[in-house]
Amino acid sequence: MNQFEQQIDAFLEYDYGVTARQATVPQLYNAVSKAAVKSLSVSPVSGKKACYFSAEFLVGRLVYSNLLNLGLLDRCRAYLAQNGFDPGVFETIEDDALGNGGLGRLAACFLDSAATHDIPLYGYGIRYRYGLFRQYFEKGFQKETADDWQNMGDPWAIRREEDTVIVVFADQTVRAVPYDMPVIGWGGNTVNILRLWQSEPVSAFDFEQFNLQKYDEAVAERVRAEEITAVLYPNDDTPVGKQLRLKQQYFFCSASLQSLVKESIRRRGDNFSHFAEDFAIQLNDTHPVIAIPELLRIFMEDYRMSFEDAFVLVRDTFAYTNHTIMAEALETWDTSLFLSVVPQVYPYVVMLQNSLNRDLKEKGVPPQEQSELQIISGGKIHMARLAVYATHATNGVAKIHSELLKSTVMPEWYRLYPERFQNKTNGITQRRWLALCNQELSAFITERIGNGWITDLNQLKKLEPYQNDPASLARYRDIKREKKLQLCHHVRIHEYGFELNPDFLFDIQIKRLHEYKRQLLNAFSILDIYFALKDGTLTDFYPTAFLFGAKAAPGYRRAKGIIKFINEIARVVNEDPQVKDRMQVLFVQNYNVSYAEKLIPAADVSEQISTAGTEASGTGNMKLMLNGAVTLGTLDGANIEIVEQSGMENNYIFGATVEELAAIADTYDPKVLYEENSRIRRVVDTLIDGTLDDGKTGLFQELYDSLLEGASWHRADQYYLLHDFESYCEAKLRVNRQYHNREEFSRKCFVNTMNAGKFSSDRTVKEYAAEIWGVPI
Ligand SMILES: *Cc1c(COP(=O)(O)O)cnc(C)c1O
């Protein structure tokens, strides 16, 4: 037997006193993971090191992907089988969900790509005790439970007690203890590190209080320290402005910087003049932007640097990635709150503000134009402004998004510092999102063009000769069916025995629940089809399963209302014998990375229907394209680049463009559309006419009002659902008609896979390395 298998046996024997055949699944999981970790050696960084600061890393289940990259996956499966276990047995191990959605998943893809291409990129973040909540439905309403992801252990991480640092707040001081997770590149040659910080008390237990019989006080410090990293905020795209959130941000930024400063001292003593040549720090959105004044503070207070010297180093070190277009999503902190949490940092924000004012004066910016540029203004600290001012590069995450940053979101900053603005179109790792989740399609590709695509996704272009080969297309279709059957099996187990029909077209919308992502528009179109089938006005409809997966932030009432609405539609449709052999509707529970790995390979149609100008990039769209789904979408985010790569004729684009929406913004009146269009009226009225029931919560009435009445803080139908409704339904029915021609449709899917090369995060990370970090590739 080989070393890896022997190591597993040894861990089982040593840790649990069992043989493989006697072991429980958690015991096996821990032993397999530890055996793999033991085989690793972390690659030393000699030149410049890039650091990715992110409040979220949505890595997903690690055991299979790590074994895949190490080349041990097949051996592990064989080992499990030999010992009487199902090779998929680790699927019961929880998903690692220390992120909300796209932003955290992007961070995880970047780490995978960097390790694969020998780029020294290290992640820095927070080891939340509880990750994103788990979701289930009760009577169609979302319910949440805690994500206790450590309940089977955390064998991939190593606690580094010796690298503990102290983090100080106005009202408490805590220890930051790092847990290092190996990030294993393809082939296992490069191993980088994801360092996640956990908050712990400085003194574990206060004996003085205990002896005074004050038991609560004795543990109070522990409780307050652990609170900081207790739970991930479940808001995606909307800042919360809470004290604890600011504490989390400062906690991991200060700890990470202290750790880098120590590393710098190990390399060069306390001469920091080379800091920006040794380290590049990428800030994933504004969540870690507080690192900027914190590094200034460390340099000036602890190492007696002047502001001028420290600021040059800081600016050369940091770069900032913006993830949002919507103004309300740009993070600010109340000055008073900031002062009550980290008063020691505030003077450095003021210094940046003063420095900015000097620059504005020097550049002759007229006073009336200066107010939009103030970092501190109206009693708030504007984190995005601070970030653009104090970094050398600001990037958007898709071409259109980067253009909108310059023209609409921060035009005054673009005028000041045009050379700082860049684009880095997002990407995804093909290791997890094809090699791991779709081994059947991977084998198909490798049989035809070799396996070079695993580290160079542009090689998918070599599939071109097969796009008109009937045998290849037939096999490609068979694989899609195979993946549908696997999904049907998974759904049967996880959705109370739901029998999804594998002969149907699978139309899938999976992403966080947000008004701007327009799941409600999808719901309306499904109702429209349902009514047309019942009325007999729609014939020749290819039977379709409409699938949704999404979590709503627990405090986001409208998002929860939309989930309930779709679940009600599902109940009515699935129970209706008149349509049951032509449509199904299912909202899966607890959509996460592992569920995504099941859903994506089974999709025929990828729903990417955000209002033009609202989705910065999207990455779900790329995963689905790679796995051969056609995009039914708007000209928004990376959808634009997707159709650029694979052709308008192979996708289904509908709806208003950014320019068209800008032109009608002031005159748009959804009530007119509602009055004049009976199809619109019929589907919208289901919210209030008793067709569908929200259990007297008022949720459906509120959705209705949001479309037709608006509110104090937004206009009616601010995301233009009714405006795009007809064009969307038309496109959706066009997909459906063309799906009848199975051969021609599978060619479109195939062409999408073939042209997905651009959307590898390998490409994205190399662009960051070359154009922002100055790290050799
Ligand atoms: C990729 C991914 C996302 C991002 O999806 P979008 O459609 O780009 O919003 C969100 N959640 C999970 C679990 C993902 O894997």
Side-chain angles (χ1 to χ4, degrees):
M1 222 206 291
N2 288 311
Q3 229 195 339
F4 173 60
E5 291 80 358
Q6 283 167 355
Q7 283 289 353
I8 302 173
D9 288 339
F11 275 115
L12 286 173
E13 163 78 36
Y14 184 82
D15 287 350
Y16 309 111
V18 296
T19 64
R21 286 192 165 271
Q22 299 164 330
T24 63
V25 173
Q27 288 171 343
L28 267 174
Y29 164 67
N30 278 277
V32 166
S33 305
K34 284 187 192 173
V37 170
K38 204 169 164 147
S39 74
L40 302 175
S41 58
V42 173
S43 319
V45 180
S46 48
K48 190 166 185 175
K49 168 170 152 178
C51 308
Y52 203 77
F53 279 27
S54 179
E56 304 184 14
F57 287 89
L58 186 50
V59 292
R61 188 183 293 128
L62 283 172
V63 56
Y64 290 124
S65 59
N66 280 344
L67 293 172
L68 175 78
N69 282 6
L70 285 168
L72 293 171
L73 185 55
D74 288 338
R75 274 168 67 184
C76 176
R77 290 206 165 113
Y79 176 92
L80 289 170
Q82 273 157 27
N83 289 292
F85 290 90
D86 178 339
V89 71
F90 294 150
E91 293 198 3
T92 57
I93 304 295
E94 282 314 318
D95 214 348
D96 190 343
L98 305 187
N100 270 287
L103 173 143
R105 185 53 232 174
L106 183 74
C109 283
F110 283 180
L111 294 184
D112 180 271
S113 285
T116 294
H117 292 280
D118 299 330
I119 294 168
L121 176 67
Y122 283 50
Y124 291 85
I126 299 171
R127 188 172 192 258
Y128 300 103
R129 174 69 185 78
Y130 299 101
L132 185 63
F133 66 87
R134 282 198 237 153
Q135 176 202 57
Y136 66 95
F137 298 143
E138 197 176 277
K139 300 201 168 103
F141 292 104
Q142 170 174 297
K143 300 283 166 188
E144 301 99 23
T145 58
D147 166 49
D148 187 10
W149 64 274
Q150 291 171 35
N151 65 357
M152 295 220 187
D154 180 19
W156 292 99
I158 300 169
R159 181 180 167 101
R160 293 280 179 210
E161 197 77 41
E162 67 279 15
D163 290 345
T164 296
V165 297
I166 298 291
V167 178
V168 177
F169 298 96
D171 59 347
Q172 69 184 135
T173 297
V174 299
R175 291 195 313 143
V177 184
Y179 281 72
D180 285 355
M181 285 167 41
V183 180
I184 304 161
W186 173 258
N189 295 321
T190 298
V191 180
N192 291 335
I193 285 173
L194 167 57
R195 171 162 277 196
L196 298 179
W197 297 94
Q198 174 165 295
S199 177
E200 297 184 12
V202 174
S203 51
F205 191 78
D206 188 336
F207 272 100
E208 205 167 307
Q209 297 287 353
F210 187 73
N211 291 335
L212 294 167
Q213 304 203 330
K214 293 183 180 170
Y215 302 112
D216 290 348
E217 285 88 336
V219 294
E221 187 197 338
R222 162 173 294 273
V223 170
R224 289 207 334 120
E226 290 176 352
E227 188 185 25
I228 293 175
T229 51
V231 60
L232 167 73
Y233 275 89
N235 295 302
D236 184 59
D237 261 38
T238 38
V240 277
K242 294 273 165 48
Q243 190 190 46
L244 188 60
R245 174 75 171 169
L246 182 58
K247 279 193 172 173
Q248 290 185 338
Q249 296 183 356
Y250 181 69
F251 170 77
F252 93 91
C253 289
S254 178
S256 307
L257 290 172
Q258 290 183 56
S259 150
L260 292 180
V261 164
K262 280 191 194 173
E263 201 173 319
S264 177
I265 290 171
R266 274 200 299 278
R267 283 198 198 186
R268 309 228 188 220
D270 59 3
N271 171 4
F272 290 99
S273 58
H274 299 278
F275 195 85
E277 294 151 44
D278 291 343
F279 303 102
I281 303 178
Q282 191 68 37
L283 303 171
N284 196 20
D285 211 326
T286 51
H287 318 141
V289 164
I290 196 169
I292 292 171
E294 172 66 0
L295 186 58
L296 269 181
R297 191 191 66 78
I298 293 173
F299 280 158
M300 292 175 67
E301 281 181 19
D302 299 350
Y303 299 99
R304 301 271 149 229
M305 241 181 253
S306 68
F307 174 80
E308 287 69 28
D309 289 349
F311 185 41
V312 169
L313 288 180
V314 163
R315 180 174 282 169
D316 290 348
T317 301
F318 286 107
Y320 159 62
T321 302
N322 174 286
H323 284 273
T324 185
I325 295 163
M326 287 177 288
E328 68 271 21
L330 290 174
E331 198 170 34
T332 60
W333 289 107
D334 280 333
T335 312
S336 55
L337 177 80
F338 197 92
L339 276 166
S340 75
V341 175
V342 280
Q344 73 276 27
V345 184
Y346 187 70
Y348 298 88
V349 179
V350 174
M351 281 182 226
L352 288 168
Q353 172 69 71
N354 292 339
S355 168
L356 167 64
N357 284 341
R358 288 194 296 275
D359 289 2
L360 293 179
K361 204 168 161 192
E362 207 170 282
K363 285 179 177 262
V365 177
Q368 65 274 18
E369 285 176 27
Q370 293 193 9
S371 68
E372 284 286 286
L373 293 158
Q374 299 297 296
I375 294 169
I376 307 172
S377 128
K380 289 178 191 305
I381 306 173
H382 293 254
M383 301 310 275
R385 295 177 191 172
L386 195 165
V388 179
Y389 178 59
T391 62
H392 65 279
T394 291
N395 73 282
V397 290
K399 271 199 238 166
I400 185 181
H401 170 51
S402 297
E403 288 307 315
L404 287 169
L405 265 188
K406 296 190 283 188
S407 67
T408 315
V409 187
M410 321 190 94
E412 54 287 335
W413 287 98
Y414 177 59
R415 279 197 294 277
L416 267 187
Y417 303 111
E419 71 286 355
R420 289 187 191 170
F421 283 76
Q422 298 196 21
N423 174 244
K424 296 285 167 282
T425 298
N426 281 168
I428 54 160
T429 166
Q430 67 268 34
R431 269 79 60 194
R432 184 175 291 268
W433 297 112
L434 183 54
L436 186 67
C437 75
N438 199 342
Q439 288 174 28
E440 296 81 356
L441 184 55
S442 298
F444 168 94
I445 295 168
T446 297
E447 280 160 24
R448 284 164 181 77
I449 64 169
N451 72 355
W453 60 271
I454 296 178
T455 53
D456 175 13
L457 200 61
N458 284 318
Q459 290 192 22
L460 290 180
K461 276 260 160 41
K462 292 189 196 165
L463 288 169
E464 201 152 8
Y466 300 96
Q467 66 174 314
N468 295 312
D469 169 30
S472 289
L473 290 182
R475 175 76 196 120
Y476 188 81
R477 278 197 301 280
D478 287 346
I479 290 168
K480 186 62 84 180
R481 183 171 166 86
E482 174 76 30
K483 300 312 281 185
K484 285 184 181 180
L485 286 170
Q486 291 170 13
L487 177 64
C488 291
H489 176 72
H490 190 82
V491 158
R492 196 175 302 123
I493 293 167
H494 287 87
E495 313 298 339
Y496 308 109
F498 191 93
E499 287 292 342
L500 196 54
N501 192 329
D503 296 327
F504 282 19
L505 183 168
F506 282 16
D507 173 310
I508 301 190
Q509 186 174 21
I510 42 175
K511 49 188 69 259
R512 283 300 288 264
L513 204 311
H514 258 291
E515 286 164 279
Y516 83 80
K517 291 177 184 277
R518 301 202 293 192
Q519 282 96 347
L520 185 55
L521 175 60
N522 189 348
F524 285 151
S525 79
I526 293 168
L527 280 171
D528 185 61
I529 289 168
Y530 174 66
F531 290 141
L533 288 175
K534 303 260 306 172
D535 295 348
T537 52
L538 176 59
T539 52
D540 240 19
F541 181 74
Y542 200 101
T544 300
F546 297 100
L547 301 175
F548 293 85
K551 289 178 182 173
Y556 189 174
R557 256 185 85 79
R558 283 186 187 169
K560 288 183 143 178
I562 293 167
I563 290 180
K564 172 64 177 167
F565 185 60
I566 294 169
N567 276 326
E568 280 305 295
I569 294 171
R571 197 177 51 74
V572 169
V573 167
N574 298 338
E575 283 175 2
D576 188 337
Q578 223 188 328
V579 299
K580 83 186 253 300
D581 51 0
R582 284 175 292 172
M583 62 191 295
Q584 292 184 308
V585 180
L586 175 66
F587 207 130
V588 305
Q589 302 174 95
N590 201 40
Y591 172 63
N592 59 9
V593 171
S594 296
Y595 223 134
E597 290 171 21
K598 301 276 184 217
L599 288 158
I600 288 166
D604 296 304
V605 175
S606 162
E607 295 267 358
Q608 307 298 336
I609 62 176
S610 54
T611 313
T614 62
E615 186 77 88
S617 163
T619 50
N621 47 4
M622 302 169 185
K623 301 167 196 167
L624 284 151
M625 176 202 196
L626 179 61
N627 283 275
V630 299
T631 297
L632 169 56
T634 47
L635 288 176
D636 197 24
N639 298 351
I640 294 173
E641 291 160 75
I642 285 176
V643 297
E644 236 170 63
Q645 294 298 308
S646 62
M648 279 290 224
E649 69 284 7
N650 296 308
N651 294 286
Y652 299 83
I653 298 302
F654 71 93
T657 60
V658 171
E659 293 76 18
E660 286 163 0
L661 291 180
I664 62 164
D666 293 334
T667 55
Y668 178 56
D669 184 359
K671 268 214 172 106
V672 174
L673 292 171
Y674 173 82
E675 302 294 348
E676 289 176 355
N677 184 321
S678 61
R679 276 169 67 196
I680 291 182
R681 206 161 53 244
R682 189 169 181 191
V683 297
V684 172
D685 279 351
T686 61
L687 286 164
I688 53 159
D689 66 8
T691 311
L692 302 167
D693 180 9
D694 67 1
K696 299 197 169 58
T697 56
L699 286 167
F700 290 177
Q701 179 74 49
E702 287 169 39
L703 291 175
Y704 180 88
D705 291 343
S706 77
L707 294 172
L708 295 174
E709 306 295 336
S712 58
W713 42 279
H714 74 80
R715 285 180 296 203
D717 192 17
Q718 62 175 330
Y719 296 113
Y720 300 95
L721 278 69
L722 306 194
H723 183 269
D724 281 347
F725 176 81
E726 273 204 294
S727 136
Y728 176 49
C729 291
E730 184 280 318
K732 202 163 191 162
L733 290 176
R734 189 149 44 87
V735 183
N736 190 277
R737 276 196 304 278
Q738 298 190 355
Y739 193 82
H740 281 96
N741 186 342
R742 300 294 300 107
E743 170 135 344
E744 176 54 21
F745 195 89
S746 63
R747 205 190 53 78
K748 291 182 197 289
C749 297
F750 186 91
V751 171
N752 271 283
T753 299
M754 189 177 97
N755 287 299
K758 173 175 179 182
F759 304 106
S760 169
S761 46
D762 298 354
R763 187 263 314 148
T764 317
V765 154
K766 287 182 188 176
E767 286 178 6
Y768 276 94
E771 296 161 22
I772 298 182
W773 304 333
V775 168
I777 53 173

